[in-house]
Structures are given as C-alpha cells and as structure tokens.
Amino acid sequence: GVGFNSKLSSCEKFNIQTSQWTPIAQMTTLRHAHSVAVIGKLAYIIGGWVDGSRCIGDVEIYDMELNNWHPGIPLCLPRRLHASTSMNQLIYVFGGYHSNSNHLPPTDTNPTDGEATDTTDNSPHEVCTAREYFTNSAEVFDISTNTWQNLPNLPYMGPASAVAIHAESPDESFIYIFMHGKCTLRYDIKDQ
C-alpha cells in the first residue's frame, strides 16, 4: 500500500479466531494499486504502481507456511488498479490502468466505449482519451505450466474488481468483474 509520503512493503495477517493482526515477512517491492489472488497456501501479489511513476507487471508469491516471498512470472501487460481472482488452479487478471501517467485530467467518461473527453474550460492540455490510460485486456496464469496467456478483451476499459463464484458444478461457476463506475460483467470460464 501507500501512506503519506511513503510506499509500503509491510504485510500483516489476520487471525479470525483471535481477531488479531500480526506482521509477516515483507514484500521485496514497495507497491500499491496491486491485486492479490490465492491458490492453496500461496498468495500471488500481482502488478501495481511503483514510486508513483510506473506500472509494473511483477508478481511476488507469498508462501503462507514458510512465511517467505519469491518472484513469480511477470504479467504480459504491466498494470495497476486491475482485478484478479483465482479459480480451478488458474489466476485471472482483468482491466486496469497500463499507463505510467500519474493521473487523468478532469473528464467525463462514456461508460459504453471507455472514451473520456476533457470538460474543463480554458484547459491548458489537449483533449485526451481514456484509451491512452485504461486497458480492457485480460490474462490467465496457469500454475501447472507457470505461464501467462492473453484472454479475449473485455468489452469495457478501466479499473476493476473481481470475485470468483465457485460451485460444485463447473457449469455454475463464474467470475464477476466489476468495472468501476460502469457495469458488472460475468465471465464464463467454460468459454475460455
């Protein structure tokens, strides 16, 4: 995460039985705007924003039993403020920002196409589009092959959150992707 005038690599775990937080081993990269997905006893910390200046595709893996970190395979596309979740020994990543720009100018965004246009009067900057900052790309990581692969693009661009809904029948298991301020999408893993 990030605090006032600082980036953090510290980590903590919460014990639901004692309702207490305790520190664990620190990440090797100070970052924020990253995502996390868990498979078994491994937590994958994915992408993020470093030094307030660049998106990264780096992945760090936390071993809950050994209380240590090791590097993972980087994303295909560096990104921040993206969604990730896991299902069936796969990790899915959706959307986010891929630009190293610090922020967008004041804009109105059309939720149907991801375009943003400047709405300020006498603006010193040119009109920019969200396409310069946002992404609709999606990726999947297969832990059995240790590889990332691109998936078909989402219909919308931008920051996102995701949750996997597991069911006993694979036909009833889905991933829901919440495109911030736009819509909710349902990704059917059977179509992959």
Side-chain angles (χ1 to χ4, degrees):
V2 63
F4 291 109
N5 300 319
S6 66
K7 302 342 178 253
L8 304 174
S9 62
S10 60
C11 303
E12 300 177 48
K13 66 179 178 181
F14 183 72
N15 185 321
I16 59 172
Q17 295 174 337
T18 64
S19 296
Q20 293 185 330
W21 288 95
T22 55
I24 60 173
Q26 292 192 7
M27 290 187 293
T28 60
T29 303
L30 286 76
R31 67 174 91 191
H32 71 283
H34 53 278
S35 66
V36 63
V38 176
I39 296 181
K41 297 284 187 179
L42 299 176
Y44 292 75
I45 309 303
I46 303 165
W49 185 241
V50 174
D51 297 328
S53 64
R54 63 186 174 93
C55 287
I56 59 172
D58 297 1
V59 174
E60 289 188 62
I61 304 169
Y62 176 70
D63 187 315
M64 297 176 202
E65 292 182 336
L66 300 177
N67 188 33
N68 67 17
W69 294 90
H70 61 275
I73 304 299
L75 290 163
C76 299
L77 177 70
R79 61 182 82 207
R80 60 186 164 117
L81 296 174
H82 54 281
S84 67
T85 192
S86 62
M87 182 176 281
N88 301 334
Q89 304 297 301
L90 300 170
I91 296 173
Y92 295 85
V93 172
F94 303 99
Y97 289 85
H98 66 91
S99 170
N100 288 334
S101 297
N102 199 19
H103 61 278
L104 283 170
T107 61
D108 283 338
T109 301
N110 180 337
T112 60
D113 63 10
E115 289 289 338
T117 55
D118 186 357
T119 59
T120 58
D121 295 327
N122 302 320
S123 174
H125 52 265
E126 295 180 14
V127 172
C128 71
T129 65
R131 293 185 193 284
E132 298 171 30
Y133 300 89
F134 304 152
T135 184
N136 62 348
S137 71
E139 304 179 38
V140 62
F141 182 75
D142 186 333
I143 65 168
S144 67
T145 61
N146 210 30
T147 57
W148 287 98
Q149 291 184 332
N150 288 311
L151 294 171
N153 287 343
L154 299 170
Y156 301 99
M157 298 180 172
S161 301
V163 63
I165 306 299
H166 300 266
E168 289 189 28
S169 167
D171 291 342
E172 298 172 1
S173 297
F174 300 98
I175 295 173
Y176 287 90
I177 306 153
F178 306 97
M179 301 303 297
H180 298 183
K182 294 180 182 172
C183 65
T184 300
L185 304 170
R186 187 176 82 178
Y187 180 74
D188 188 342
I189 61 171
K190 299 186 300 299
D191 294 339
Q192 182 177 315

